[in-house]
Amino acid sequence: EGEGIKGFVPISHLIDAPASPSEEERHAFLESYSGRSLYLKVIECEPSSERVVLSERAAQAGQGKRKQLFESLKAGVVACGIITNVTEFGAFVDLGGVEGLIHVSEISWGRVEKPTEILKIGQSVKVIILQVNEENSRIALSIKRLSPNPWEEVQRNYQPGDVVNACITSIMKFGAFARLEEGIEGLIHISSMPEPVEAGQLSSLFKPGQNVQVKILHVDADKRRLGLGLVSLE
């Protein structure tokens, strides 16, 4: 708290934070900060939601160190960092004194509905730098581009008529999405099920994580669409 505004400092942004604390050690460490004065740098500010994120590590880095870091972070460079915050639109990563953003669309080649289910604060991640803008201190990062795009091979690996194993990932009103492999998901539309099924019955028929057998109906790699028909449930 300072100047009438309260902000949040992630534990990973405190200089003396232990590397891998237990829950008890983490609580005791943070308790020791009550009443202390800190020199902090604003790393995120969203006035509309009254949100301010601060960093002791970034404040200690200094302008010379910060400039040096920006000069070393170029598009195409692979770097390691620590997740400092996870939001619905992506995750912020500390790269050693400067922060970058992994947009939700750059986390995985597959659909990501909730970044918090994949990335956690304090988690170490390897990223590739997509873009650096020192003027507004923005660094765009990606995890998914460290691996090949599976959709580039999808038409070679899957043909209409193939019967394959899949795993249910989510249930919608109009059907269920199923993952064939990492990054490759298709839709089992309600109209492609062998027995007539009403929309209200889908949640009782499918569960996330359930294994199913599906038939490839159509493949559109350009639009990343895969039509599936249900063959059997497990």
Side-chain angles (χ1 to χ4, degrees):
E1 183 176 18
E3 300 181 2
I5 296 175
K6 288 186 178 181
F8 174 70
V9 184
I11 188 170
S12 60
H13 275 261
L14 294 171
I15 291 174
D16 297 325
S20 302
S22 64
E23 191 60 35
E24 186 176 336
E25 290 171 334
R26 178 194 292 262
H27 182 74
F29 171 74
L30 293 175
E31 281 286 337
S32 71
Y33 274 80
S34 181
R36 288 175 57 179
S37 294
L38 297 175
Y39 181 65
L40 305 169
K41 182 179 182 64
V42 177
I43 58 175
E44 184 182 346
C45 182
E46 298 178 10
S48 60
S49 56
E50 299 183 359
R51 174 182 175 80
V52 179
V53 180
L54 307 151
S55 171
E56 185 181 32
R57 292 178 62 186
Q60 295 294 325
Q63 287 303 313
K65 174 68 172 176
R66 185 177 178 83
K67 184 173 181 62
Q68 183 181 357
L69 281 168
F70 266 103
E71 289 176 350
S72 67
L73 298 173
K74 304 294 183 182
V77 170
V78 175
C80 292
I82 304 293
I83 300 290
T84 57
N85 192 25
V86 184
T87 71
E88 62 182 14
F89 57 83
F92 289 91
V93 180
D94 175 25
L95 299 172
V98 295
E99 279 204 326
L101 172 67
I102 309 170
H103 190 267
V104 61
S105 63
E106 292 294 333
I107 294 175
S108 170
W109 288 112
R111 292 183 311 114
V112 177
E113 295 184 355
K114 296 181 179 179
T116 52
E117 294 179 351
I118 299 175
L119 302 172
K120 307 296 180 184
I121 291 176
Q123 177 183 344
S124 297
V125 291
K126 182 184 287 188
V127 296
I128 186 168
I129 297 171
L130 301 180
Q131 187 178 13
V132 178
N133 189 325
E134 188 174 356
E135 290 184 6
N136 57 20
S137 299
R138 290 183 179 178
I139 303 174
L141 308 171
S142 175
I143 290 177
K144 77 177 187 182
R145 301 197 196 196
L146 289 170
S147 58
N149 180 355
W151 283 96
E152 293 178 355
E153 299 292 325
V154 72
Q155 286 181 308
R156 181 181 302 175
N157 297 332
Y158 303 102
Q159 299 295 326
D162 290 351
V163 175
V164 297
N165 294 320
C167 178
I168 299 297
T169 55
S170 59
I171 296 95
M172 315 297 285
K173 290 182 179 180
F174 48 82
F177 283 96
R179 182 175 62 244
L180 277 62
E181 60 179 88
E182 185 61 35
I184 300 294
E185 288 189 9
L187 173 65
I188 308 171
H189 195 271
I190 193 169
S191 63
S192 66
M193 297 179 187
E195 300 293 335
V197 179
E198 295 182 5
Q201 297 176 312
L202 289 174
S203 58
S204 60
L205 184 64
F206 297 109
K207 301 295 180 186
Q210 180 181 6
N211 293 320
V212 295
Q213 264 201 334
V214 295
K215 185 175 185 178
I216 308 295
L217 300 180
H218 57 83
V219 180
D220 189 336
D222 293 336
K223 294 182 179 179
R224 297 187 182 182
R225 290 179 181 173
L226 191 62
L228 306 173
L230 180 66
V231 174
S232 65
L233 300 169
E234 291 186 17

